[in-house]
Amino acid sequence: MGDPGSVKTARLRARQRRRGYPIHAYVGANGGGKTMAAVYDTLPTLAAGRHVVSTCRILDPATGQPHPLWVPLDDYRTLLEVENCDVVADEVTGIASSRESQGMPAAIANLLVQLRRRDVAFRWTAPSWKRADTIIRECSQATTLCMGFVPETVSDETGERQWRSRKLFYWRTYDAATFDEWTTHRRERIKPAARQLMWRPGSMAERAYDTFDSVLSLGAVTDAGTCMDCGGYRQKMKCPCARPAASRAVPVIGRHTAPVGVLIPETDDTPAVVLAPAAAN
């Protein structure tokens, strides 16, 4: 075992490197520690007094109650108002899945490419890099691969959960610029920008969220008309600005329009002239 002080220093250094990528992806299999890594990297934001907007419920490690700086992310309109804060989109497929090309409203897509202007850090988790919307992947600056080890024991006789939490996690961070093009074999040969072993039991990150808590869903209708609450289709509202063609102030040029004359104004050299419309063929 290494010196506890040096181990803690190495962990903090790895987190500092990950936080150096404001738009960050955390990917891996269920139980790999994706949410824990995102929450762990967000703890300094809470310590600095900045708000955290998240689909994952952020808890106060001291009390176990919802953190006073946590803002629930349950509506697309909340994202449009974020500024000077961190956003954690746990299970990003609930916000912008790659399977629904029109799933993310255009306003949100425009916001994602302008997070720097609002001083917003954006962290998202997904089982796979390619499960997220293309725009999110293109904006992401780094990807952390999360793996979990040392599962907790489960007794069938006591009726405990069959999904076993992992105690040890291994996080490796890579630059996202070429991540989309890498193969699994090639990733194993490339040196990560940061790597960290994390022991979950007793850590502050473990107390800052509930690993079995449900992720908030965004209660809104996407551009494709799909309700984010039930998955049903909601018809778009009819535009109230629609008016019959006959009531338009400017006639439509084309068929069914009366021919009009053209007035050439008077000048110093020529008098005013009215040109008759051409006869219909």
Side-chain angles (χ1 to χ4, degrees):
M1 295 291 292
D3 178 63
S6 61
V7 172
K8 181 178 180 180
T9 300
R11 287 204 310 265
L12 296 178
R13 187 182 299 115
R15 179 167 66 181
Q16 185 177 10
R17 290 179 180 175
R18 289 194 299 271
R19 284 178 60 86
Y21 301 97
I23 306 180
H24 203 123
Y26 301 80
V27 300
N30 291 337
K34 304 184 297 295
T35 304
M36 184 174 184
V39 171
Y40 177 73
D41 289 352
T42 307
L43 290 178
T45 298
L46 296 173
R50 283 168 55 107
H51 284 85
V52 174
V53 181
S54 173
T55 58
C56 169
R57 197 182 312 274
I58 305 298
L59 307 177
D60 186 339
T63 64
Q65 299 299 315
H67 200 286
L69 294 177
W70 170 61
V71 178
L73 177 54
D74 55 4
D75 196 303
Y76 277 116
R77 290 167 292 188
T78 303
L79 281 178
L80 297 178
E81 301 172 357
V82 296
E83 187 173 329
N84 301 316
C85 66
D86 286 14
V87 174
V88 179
D90 194 20
E91 302 298 344
V92 76
T93 52
I95 297 178
S97 171
S98 61
R99 298 183 60 186
E100 188 178 0
S101 60
Q102 299 296 327
M104 185 167 56
I108 302 301
N110 183 58
L111 170 68
L112 290 174
V113 299
Q114 302 186 57
L115 293 177
R116 179 178 62 86
R117 293 180 173 86
R118 298 195 179 195
D119 191 26
V120 173
F122 187 85
R123 302 182 181 92
W124 58 273
T125 73
S128 172
W129 168 255
K130 292 188 176 181
R131 290 289 298 274
D133 186 270
T134 303
I135 294 179
I136 294 182
R137 298 201 307 267
E138 291 175 346
C139 294
S140 298
Q141 300 166 336
T143 303
T144 295
L145 297 179
C146 305
M147 301 177 64
F149 305 92
V150 191
E152 295 179 341
T153 57
V154 175
S155 173
D156 293 334
E157 297 178 358
T158 60
E160 295 179 355
R161 287 178 176 270
Q162 296 303 304
W163 281 87
R164 296 180 290 174
S165 298
R166 267 55 178 176
K167 298 180 180 180
L168 180 66
F169 300 105
Y170 183 35
W171 301 330
R172 291 172 294 169
T173 302
Y174 300 90
D175 192 301
T178 57
F179 190 86
D180 207 7
E181 303 173 358
W182 291 355
T183 62
T184 303
H185 177 68
R186 186 182 176 190
R187 289 174 194 162
E188 298 298 330
R189 296 182 298 166
I190 295 179
K191 183 178 180 180
R195 55 186 175 183
Q196 175 183 348
L197 283 172
M198 183 68 179
W199 184 256
R200 179 182 61 82
S203 66
M204 183 176 293
E206 179 188 34
R207 302 192 303 271
Y209 81 107
D210 183 355
T211 185
F212 294 115
D213 195 8
S214 59
V215 177
L216 299 179
S217 61
L218 274 66
V221 179
T222 69
D223 281 358
T226 302
C227 177
M228 297 299 296
D229 289 331
C230 66
Y233 179 79
R234 187 179 300 180
Q235 188 175 12
K236 291 185 178 180
M237 180 184 69
K238 185 177 180 180
C239 176
C241 301
R243 291 180 296 170
S247 65
R248 295 172 181 165
V250 180
V252 178
I253 304 300
R255 28 176 210 168
H256 307 303
T257 58
V260 296
V262 177
L263 171 64
I264 299 179
E266 179 183 4
T267 66
D268 293 339
D269 300 324
T270 60
V273 178
V274 177
L275 299 180
N281 294 330

